[in-house]
Amino acid sequence: MKGWEGRPANFKDTDHTRRKSELNCDRTFFKADFGSCHARPKTFLTTLNITESANILDKYDTVDTRKVRQVLREKAFENWSQKKHKGKGALSYQQYTPANKWIRNHKGLSCSQWREAIKMNANVSAVRSVPGRSSGSNLCRRCHREVETLAHVLGACPHGELLRNTRHHIVRSIIATALRNKGYSVYEEVHGISSEGSNRRIDIIAFKPPSLEGYIIDPTVRFESHEHQPEEVHEEKRNIYEPSISFYKDKYHLESIVIRGLMIGARGTIPRFLVDFCKSFGLHKNILRDLTITALKGSVAIFRHHTYGP
């Protein structure tokens, strides 16, 4: 009887043959993982150093390599999302997976932008809070007030405020244009006064005549931190603009106004909350890709300005 390498089962394994066995194992795994449906799936599972292989084999009588790869991907994603630093906000990537297509098809991004976005994806960009990146202080090299994390660079540091505003304005214009194409009357950056007398400025107000229902829409780009962040952003925006609803009702002769706070991930993630918003307004799904690419390009520009700018 011969083993899977073509040797007798009682063949004595030396260091040389062991190394060759490991090499063959790697080749078998490569074939199984990248398209060969005829590779020996049980062989590569049992020879790889994967603790869950026994459970996977028990789950399927006849092992389908596609199912095995899916299980391994899910396990790897779970392990990644549990990492304190590199996995921060990783759960956001599973809310709308078509937004992640830029990883394998970087249309709309230059090669250098794509590489930097990949680093942001895993939160390993060259900021001072990453272990080994700074021999001195880990405070922000620009404002010197907070620890220099990627979240601080993309969302809080005063040095990148103008570029953050630019990123936000482009995002707002994409949503406003899509609403106009659907027949809505849309006004951007509208000044208002709250019931307490304070000034407010909404990003978008939209309504479709002859309907007397309007929508205050406030998109914002935030660094992804946890799974329920989009709902928290919506509540935050609603609390800000609710006191000014009566002003906008009178201004545009509306009977009711609904507030929608929309979050777009700074690393190109699209929350389910935003997907549901686009569906409710009948917006084409291509707008989600445009928002993803816009957020990524804006974040890369902010990071480069922070790191290499004057």
Side-chain angles (χ1 to χ4, degrees):
M1 179 179 177
K2 294 187 177 182
W4 68 273
E5 295 179 336
R7 299 189 182 93
N10 60 353
F11 187 85
K12 185 175 180 181
D13 195 7
T14 63
D15 289 342
H16 173 73
T17 57
R18 188 178 298 111
R19 287 194 297 271
K20 192 171 182 180
S21 173
E22 292 171 355
L23 178 60
N24 289 335
C25 169
D26 293 339
R27 288 172 179 168
T28 306
F29 172 74
F30 180 83
K31 290 178 182 178
D33 197 38
F34 294 95
S36 174
C37 297
H38 304 290
R40 302 171 179 85
K42 287 190 177 182
T43 298
F44 88 80
L45 276 175
T46 52
T47 51
L48 285 175
N49 186 21
I50 301 175
T51 57
E52 294 83 4
S53 59
N55 296 332
I56 298 173
L57 289 172
D58 291 339
K59 189 174 180 181
Y60 305 106
D61 294 333
T62 303
V63 179
D64 185 341
T65 56
R66 279 173 239 174
K67 292 180 180 178
V68 171
R69 290 198 299 271
Q70 180 64 26
V71 172
L72 295 179
R73 277 195 296 266
E74 291 174 358
K75 183 62 179 176
F77 181 79
E78 181 183 349
N79 292 337
W80 174 38
S81 62
Q82 291 175 354
K83 294 184 180 298
K84 184 177 180 181
H85 179 79
K86 295 181 181 179
K88 186 175 182 180
L91 289 175
S92 302
Y93 289 95
Q94 69 179 358
Q95 293 199 24
Y96 181 68
T97 54
N100 305 330
K101 289 182 178 179
W102 64 268
I103 295 175
R104 62 179 182 272
N105 178 14
H106 57 89
K107 181 180 179 181
L109 299 171
S110 68
C111 290
S112 60
Q113 287 173 332
W114 179 79
R115 285 194 298 268
E116 197 59 59
I118 288 291
K119 295 177 186 177
M120 291 182 180
N121 193 335
N123 203 15
V124 293
S125 296
V127 293
R128 290 185 171 182
S129 63
V130 176
R133 295 301 308 183
S134 176
S135 58
S137 172
N138 63 356
L139 291 179
C140 176
R141 71 192 74 185
R142 300 295 184 177
C143 68
H144 307 288
R145 292 198 296 256
E146 296 182 27
V147 175
E148 190 183 80
T149 62
L150 185 59
H152 170 74
V153 172
L154 298 183
C157 184
H159 189 72
E161 185 174 2
L162 291 178
L163 288 175
R164 278 197 301 276
N165 289 340
T166 300
R167 180 182 63 182
H168 170 267
H169 294 338
I170 297 174
V171 166
R172 185 199 67 219
S173 296
I174 290 174
I175 296 174
T177 300
L179 290 171
R180 289 191 184 99
N181 292 339
K182 284 294 180 179
Y184 284 86
S185 297
V186 180
Y187 300 91
E188 302 178 57
E189 292 288 338
V190 182
H191 176 266
I193 300 176
S194 70
S195 56
E196 294 89 1
S198 58
N199 292 314
R200 291 286 184 270
R201 185 176 293 275
I202 59 174
D203 282 334
I204 298 171
I205 185 167
F207 52 91
K208 182 182 283 188
S211 174
L212 297 179
E213 182 181 32
Y215 299 90
I216 291 177
I217 302 167
D218 195 304
T220 183
V221 182
R222 299 279 179 91
F223 186 86
E224 307 89 339
S225 60
H226 56 276
E227 191 174 5
H228 302 292
Q229 191 179 9
E231 289 76 16
E232 293 178 1
V233 167
H234 171 65
E235 289 299 320
E236 173 191 324
K237 298 298 183 180
R238 193 169 68 174
N239 293 334
I240 292 174
Y241 296 117
E242 267 187 349
S244 61
I245 283 182
S246 58
F247 175 87
Y248 292 107
K249 280 183 182 179
D250 296 338
K251 183 178 178 68
Y252 294 103
H253 309 291
L254 300 172
E255 290 183 354
S256 64
I257 291 180
V258 178
I259 299 172
R260 300 288 183 91
L262 304 177
M263 173 188 157
I264 298 94
R267 294 178 290 178
T269 61
I270 299 295
R272 176 57 55 182
F273 192 90
L274 178 56
V275 177
D276 294 339
F277 166 83
C278 291
K279 287 182 179 179
S280 65
F281 282 82
L283 305 183
H284 197 278
K285 62 182 181 180
N286 285 347
I287 186 180
L288 298 174
R289 173 174 172 77
D290 294 341
L291 292 173
T292 293
I293 297 301
T294 297
L296 285 170
K297 292 174 74 171
S299 295
V300 170
I302 293 169
F303 176 79
R304 288 177 172 174
H305 178 64
H306 184 92
T307 309
Y308 308 114

